[in-house]
């Protein structure tokens, strides 16, 4: 089982989600720790050059969408980079503010992994 690392306040962000969303996100992360690829995950693209292996967990609940962003390809374990409630009613992309935070935390995870 791979170790789970929480970057920034990602753990607190998940704890702010509704209980059902927390349960599904937690179950999905556990499956990932055991090397599985759950159906509610997909690669996150468009973050910039050199940012490969970033994956998002999508949880739909009560007509809302919640996302948990992680990277599992680093050697020390799985790094949970960010979690947020997608509030936009139009478009399926991630807002620029969220992308910027994901990129910053990805770089932090890579530094931690290299140490």
């Amino acid at each position: 089982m791979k170790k789970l690392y929480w970057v920034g306040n990602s753990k607190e962000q998940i704890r702010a989600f509704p209980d059902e969303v927390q349960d599904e996100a937690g179950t999905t992360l556990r499956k990932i720790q055991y090397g599985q690829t759950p159906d509610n995950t997909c690669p996150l693209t468009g973050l910039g050059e050199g940012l490969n292996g970033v994956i998002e967990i999508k949880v739909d609940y009560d007509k809302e969408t919640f996302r948990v962003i992680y990277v599992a390809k680093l050697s020390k374990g799985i790094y949970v980079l960010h979690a947020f409630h997608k509030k936009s009613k139009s478009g399926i992309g991630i807002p620029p503010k969220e992308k910027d935070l994901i990129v910053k935390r990805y770089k932090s995870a890579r530094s931690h992994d290299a140490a």
Side-chain angles (χ1 to χ4, degrees):
M1 180 172 83
K2 286 189 169 186
K3 185 171 175 145
L4 203 61
Y5 294 94
W6 301 94
V7 182
N9 66 343
S10 57
K11 190 172 192 176
E12 290 78 18
Q13 291 170 319
I14 290 175
R15 286 184 174 159
F17 290 170
D19 290 344
E20 293 86 350
V21 176
Q22 289 182 52
D23 289 345
E24 185 172 342
T27 299
T28 302
L29 286 168
R30 177 68 60 168
K31 289 177 180 178
I32 293 161
Q33 284 182 281
Y34 281 101
Q36 299 175 26
T37 305
D39 292 338
N40 62 341
T41 63
C42 66
L44 187 58
T45 59
L47 293 175
E49 193 172 321
L51 279 90
N52 301 317
V54 179
I55 310 291
E56 67 178 327
I57 299 169
K58 293 181 184 178
V59 180
D60 292 321
Y61 171 76
D62 196 27
K63 299 180 184 175
E64 306 275 342
T65 300
F66 296 83
R67 296 185 181 192
V68 178
I69 313 300
Y70 71 93
V71 60
K73 71 170 194 151
L74 300 177
S75 62
K76 288 186 179 175
I78 297 160
Y79 290 80
V80 181
L81 304 176
H82 189 35
F84 63 98
H85 174 200
K86 186 167 182 312
K87 297 178 183 176
S88 173
K89 301 297 180 196
S90 62
I92 59 173
I94 294 178
K97 175 182 156 190
E98 307 295 350
K99 281 186 181 181
D100 291 345
L101 185 57
I102 292 164
V103 169
K104 178 181 174 185
R105 290 184 176 175
Y106 177 87
K107 291 176 181 177
S108 175
R110 276 198 356 206
S111 293
H112 177 271
D113 192 64

